[in-house]
Amino acid sequence: MKSIYFILASIFISQAQADTQIKEQYFVSDIKAMKVINQHRELIIDHPSQLGFEVYGPKGLGEFLKLNNIEFNKLEEHSPQKEVFGPSYPDYEQVVANLKAAVAINPSIARMYSVGKSHEGRDLWVVKISDNVMIDEVEPEFKYISSMHGDEITGRELTQFLIEDIIKNYETNPDIKKLVDSTEIYIMPSMNPDGSELKQRGNAKGVDLNRNFPDWIRGDVNSTNNRQPETQAVMNFQAERKFSLSANFHGGAVVVNYPWDNTYTRHPLDGLLKELSLRYADLNPGMKNSRAFGRGITNGADWYKVHGGMQDWSYSWYNDLQVTVELSNKKWPDYKDIPGFYKDNKDSMMAYLFSIHQGGGIKFADEKTSGVVNITKIDGGQELKLGEFNFSKGEFYKVLPIGEYKFEGKTKSGISFSEIIEVDTSIKSNGNYSQI
């Protein structure tokens, strides 16, 4: 009996500890075992399906599963997810070189900069694409982030291709030119370069970065204290910008997952999130024809709950609508298949990016203006209040369902304002802002 208690104590560390280091990982074929595992915050469930699910945790996880009579296999031996880490993928230095080469195609619209460093000191590179790339303009801001799980590599490659395509086609494709001229686009191909170099899920410390963000359901405060360096970098990056629409790329399934992840309660913009998710999935053959997920989309919690995830955090504190796109059933597919994945996802990635312009905003002559804005949808004479939102730095922008809206509020200096803004899918020059 003492040995059992010792094993349990070694596994289930204090709830106050922020990070769980992944030391063991398995595949469990009994989907009912999720109920037992879900009771323990230190254990991570991922990608449940009819075949079973993945489980990650600290040293002793296997012993815990045995004690609970849960059958399991080593994850790398589970044939549907078996990965072959071939040598043909570019390493970190090659990825950096690829990004530099893409930016060099047209440095007037693209620049590359680091938003922080990984645990092992690798730069977390972001490529910004916009017509006046060195200027912080009042334009809708969009973000793609990939590979926060280091062994989910497909998105790292696809985002590199997307960056190059946008830059190359800027001068010849009028739609891309209009998008770039009226948007600030930010793309981070690799949030977890250490994990990708090590071919593992967690960062160099073995921490799952998509369980490392503040979680409002658990009462967390929006603080970078005691979080991983990669998480801190993304949190600081988000706080400095005004992102209104984002997506992050993963692997292990083929589906678009929309908020919330951490609660079964529906998101206040649930209908819009479904619409945006379908906009991506409908242009992807594998998603559109999915047998596992209706039309290739799913609510996050309906699939499985995640606490400390990036997509919930981004809206909770920054009103940034974000979805999670699972690109490939294999997390690390053969590199020769990557062009095919890009072919299947290119139109989806562009359509979702263009969706940043389905919104409206306000801007003030004084860029130091801050305050609150209440948004009300005007529908056939009826008014539907969507909520109250803080704004700062003289601007506010929000992606919304198509329709007519009233933006009204007050600045901290006491100035009241009220504007009617029409939201549709067309690109307005520099965005659909109302000057105040």
Side-chain angles (χ1 to χ4, degrees):
M1 183 65 70
K2 286 184 178 180
S3 63
I4 292 176
Y5 286 130
F6 177 77
I7 290 169
L8 292 176
S10 70
I11 298 172
F12 303 125
I13 51 184
S14 168
Q15 294 288 326
Q17 183 168 328
D19 304 331
T20 298
Q21 290 185 315
I22 298 172
K23 296 295 186 182
E24 298 181 21
Q25 54 191 37
Y26 302 105
F27 186 85
V28 176
S29 56
D30 182 4
I31 199 72
K32 295 179 182 177
M34 285 179 63
K35 290 184 179 179
V36 175
I37 294 171
N38 265 328
Q39 296 174 20
H40 301 282
R41 181 173 178 174
E42 295 78 12
L43 304 183
I44 297 168
I45 288 174
D46 206 19
H47 297 116
S49 69
Q50 292 181 340
L51 298 174
F53 59 93
E54 302 162 27
V55 59
Y56 302 82
K59 188 174 181 180
L61 171 59
E63 291 298 323
F64 167 75
L65 295 176
K66 288 178 183 177
L67 285 170
N68 283 276
N69 297 313
I70 298 172
E71 294 185 5
F72 63 93
N73 300 104
K74 290 183 178 180
L75 187 58
E76 56 269 26
E77 294 175 356
H78 175 61
S79 57
Q81 291 298 337
K82 189 173 182 179
E83 310 296 339
V84 179
F85 296 111
S88 54
Y89 275 83
D91 61 15
Y92 173 77
E93 287 74 19
Q94 290 172 313
V95 171
V96 175
N98 292 344
L99 295 176
K100 288 180 177 178
V103 168
I105 294 170
N106 191 344
S108 67
I109 65 162
R111 75 181 183 98
M112 174 179 167
Y113 67 102
S114 173
V115 297
K117 291 185 180 293
S118 69
H119 183 73
E120 293 189 338
R122 294 182 175 90
D123 282 300
L124 305 179
W125 293 106
V126 168
V127 173
K128 177 186 177 184
I129 305 174
S130 191
D131 57 339
N132 296 306
V133 73
M134 300 306 294
I135 300 173
D136 185 10
E137 297 183 279
V138 180
E139 294 179 338
E141 297 186 14
F142 179 94
K143 168 175 92 280
Y144 273 144
I145 291 181
S146 187
S147 301
M148 62 195 307
H149 292 147
D151 63 346
E152 298 177 12
I153 201 70
T154 306
R156 189 190 73 171
E157 307 310 306
L158 269 54
T159 49
Q160 291 177 70
F161 294 158
L162 182 69
I163 288 167
E164 183 177 0
D165 264 356
I166 292 174
I167 297 170
K168 275 186 174 180
N169 291 297
Y170 173 72
E171 300 290 355
T172 57
N173 186 312
D175 291 333
I176 289 179
K177 187 176 191 307
K178 191 172 184 180
L179 175 71
V180 171
D181 287 352
S182 303
T183 320
E184 292 196 341
I185 304 165
Y186 295 81
I187 303 176
M188 178 190 287
S190 181
M191 181 182 162
N192 184 8
D194 296 353
S196 293
E197 289 297 288
L198 294 166
K199 298 179 174 62
Q200 67 183 32
R201 179 185 181 89
N203 68 355
K205 289 191 70 177
V207 175
D208 188 328
L209 299 179
N210 205 34
R211 307 297 188 279
N212 194 236
F213 284 84
D215 190 311
W216 56 276
I217 284 288
R218 287 185 163 158
D220 294 345
V221 296
N222 190 32
S223 170
T224 59
N225 291 340
N226 300 317
R227 301 195 185 276
Q228 294 301 300
E230 298 89 349
T231 310
Q232 292 183 41
V234 170
M235 290 178 70
N236 291 331
F237 175 43
Q238 179 99 21
E240 293 168 359
R241 304 262 28 105
K242 296 290 183 185
F243 297 118
S244 300
L245 185 64
S246 302
N248 67 96
F249 294 109
H250 290 249
V254 178
V255 66
V256 181
N257 169 350
Y258 58 88
W260 301 113
D261 278 334
N262 61 8
T263 175
Y264 296 116
T265 301
R266 284 324 194 224
H267 191 282
L269 290 173
D270 183 68
L272 175 61
L273 283 165
K274 290 178 182 176
E275 175 189 327
L276 295 170
S277 298
L278 287 170
R279 197 168 293 171
Y280 191 105
D282 281 348
L283 295 172
N284 180 299
M287 292 179 186
K288 184 178 181 179
N289 300 314
S290 174
R291 294 183 178 180
F293 304 96
R295 293 185 68 182
I297 69 172
T298 183
N299 172 267
D302 284 356
W303 189 14
Y304 63 102
K305 275 192 175 184
V306 169
H307 288 281
M310 184 166 66
Q311 74 173 12
D312 285 2
W313 165 81
S314 73
Y315 190 82
S316 300
W317 275 281
Y318 295 101
N319 299 309
D320 173 24
L321 285 171
Q322 183 171 158
V323 301
T324 297
V325 183
E326 303 272 356
L327 292 166
S328 52
N329 286 314
K330 279 197 171 184
K331 297 180 181 181
W332 199 287
D334 193 309
Y335 190 75
K336 67 178 175 58
D337 296 328
I338 291 296
F341 283 114
Y342 185 58
K343 180 181 178 182
D344 286 346
N345 284 276
K346 178 182 175 180
D347 289 347
S348 297
M349 294 170 84
M350 288 301 301
Y352 188 81
L353 203 168
F354 270 90
S355 298
I356 185 64
H357 283 276
Q358 186 180 309
I362 53 174
K363 60 180 178 180
F364 295 82
D366 182 356
E367 62 183 23
K368 295 180 181 179
T369 303
S370 61
V372 295
V373 56
N374 289 277
I375 301 179
T376 303
K377 186 174 185 180
I378 304 168
D379 186 6
Q382 301 294 315
E383 293 192 353
L384 175 63
K385 293 186 181 297
L386 297 184
E388 181 177 274
F389 307 92
N390 295 318
F391 69 89
S392 61
K393 299 179 182 178
E395 64 177 280
F396 174 85
Y397 184 88
K398 190 167 183 61
V399 174
L400 294 163
I402 292 171
E404 188 177 42
Y405 295 86
K406 183 193 298 182
F407 283 53
E408 57 184 348
K410 183 177 288 188
T411 69
K412 283 191 175 180
S413 61
I415 300 174
S416 297
F417 59 87
S418 180
E419 298 288 326
I420 301 298
I421 298 176
E422 188 74 29
V423 171
D424 56 33
T425 59
S426 64
I427 297 178
K428 278 62 170 194
S429 178
N430 294 93
N432 189 22
Y433 288 88
S434 182
Q435 180 74 53
I436 298 176

